[in-house]
Amino acid sequence: MKLMFGRRSRLAQLALGVAVAASVLLPVQSAQAASGLDPFTANFKLTRVDGDKTNLITSAEAAGVAKASVTDVLGTRTGRPGLCHATGLNGALKPDGFCWDDEDDRSNYADDAGGWMPQGFAGSHAATADGLYAGRSLTATSWYHGTYVSGRTPTTVEDYARVSIAESTGGQVKYGHIALVEPVNGNFKPLEYPSHSDGVAWYGNRLFVANGAELQVFDLTRIWRMNDTTSALTRLAAGKTSARFHLWAMPLVARYSTVSTAAVDNISTAYVNNSPRACGPAVRDELCLSSLSVDRSGATPALVSVENRNGAGARIVRWPLSALGAGTPTTVASETTGYTSPVCGASRARPRTAPTTT
């Protein structure tokens, strides 16, 4: 169920989705017995479908795009400590978290001009061995900007994506929004495909953002500062850099597809009907990436993806981070054991109130 007109927190659903993803971190027998997860033989592949973007990113910076850091982003906006919405969770669990500022808390795609919808949630606790990034305990949240159109199918036009980096110290909440953009020679533009930003995972300097059959890779060491926040355009022109009213932007490093027919450096083959959102059992059984998390429990850290399905049978797949965590390999094969989940709607959280992590 999409959060269309209500603005209540969906932390209960968020906790459920996180629990599903976390359950695969247990030994196989324990996970199966405790959660009802059914193992299956996984034979999936992530195929890189774009060319090397290193020179494109460098050329944009050489053309005048100013570099920034994660710590620069913090403090752009001020949130509120504590929960500002009912969670639906048992009070005995003592849920805690923080809230966005009032503008972000109220933003909704059913507003007349559309609005921002939070989707995935990750933290530096999984990004690094000590749980800190730049010496801080931080969180990352993915959002999409959508506009509700009555009588249209689908009813929501998704036209932009961003991530927010936040620091909550208990008494103070500071955060900033980073527009997700795509580098081109000496410039940058909106992402090639509209993104729903279903899920986000954080590993080292990398942020992984799920968009249906698409996995987008971003590098937190390549954050840009815009000098024009009044423009709805996303580009460098006449010395002005803008990213649809955002102060910060981050260029795409690599794009992968789970579609079995995807060809390297041939993006036209990467998605069914040219849409990253076309995936799942009803579409040639192509694997969807919805909820994302990082598992550090084994010798080789893994990226864990969970499908969002209306019923049981969502596939949980693990991807080794040995190469994907720092490089941009041509292909990445999944681990051979996957799981199906009895839980539906694993990524349908809308965390208006962000949970804290420990």
Side-chain angles (χ1 to χ4, degrees), residues 228-233 242-247:
D228 180 5
T229 59
T230 64
S231 174
L233 300 174
S242 57
R244 201 174 187 274
F245 311 116
H246 286 74
L247 180 59

Side-chain angles (χ1 to χ4, degrees), residues 170-208:
Q172 190 177 50
V173 180
K174 294 183 177 181
Y175 68 97
H177 299 311
I178 308 171
L180 301 183
V181 302
E182 188 146 353
V184 294
N185 188 30
N187 213 313
F188 59 97
K189 64 178 185 178
L191 292 176
E192 183 76 20
Y193 293 102
S195 179
H196 192 80
S197 301
D198 305 68
V200 63
W202 191 344
Y203 181 73
N205 291 321
R206 296 244 159 138
L207 282 184
F208 300 97

